[in-house]
Amino acid sequence: MLLGVYINMEVEKIILIALGTMVSVVAFFLKKENARVEKLSEKVRNLEISLAKNEARDSERWNQSSKLLEDRRSDIIKIFEKLNK
């Protein structure tokens, strides 16, 4: 009877050690995955910032190009008006 209790306690200790080890392994891999996700999130954030800057530059260039085209159109209209007089 005493031997059965001793073996039962040993099995419980082994199970607790195995569960503790499994939790530790899972926690390790979750931390590792979290670090990878944070790095990717930082890269995505940097890309979004870069994209926003590029969109702002492109928008400004299009505005300047449109203004220049309108100026050229008005210049051409003035030239034709002078030629038709």
Side-chain angles (χ1 to χ4, degrees), residues 10-54:
E10 287 294 319
V11 170
E12 287 178 7
K13 286 181 182 179
I14 290 172
I15 290 173
L16 287 175
I17 290 171
L19 285 174
T21 304
M22 288 182 355
V23 168
S24 296
V25 168
V26 168
F28 170 77
F29 283 110
L30 284 176
K31 284 182 181 180
K32 188 176 176 181
E33 190 65 21
N34 186 40
R36 188 177 72 87
V37 168
E38 285 180 3
K39 285 180 185 177
L40 288 174
S41 295
E42 184 65 27
K43 286 181 181 179
V44 168
R45 236 179 273 119
N46 289 338
L47 287 173
E48 287 173 342
I49 291 169
S50 177
L51 181 61
K53 287 179 183 177
N54 286 340

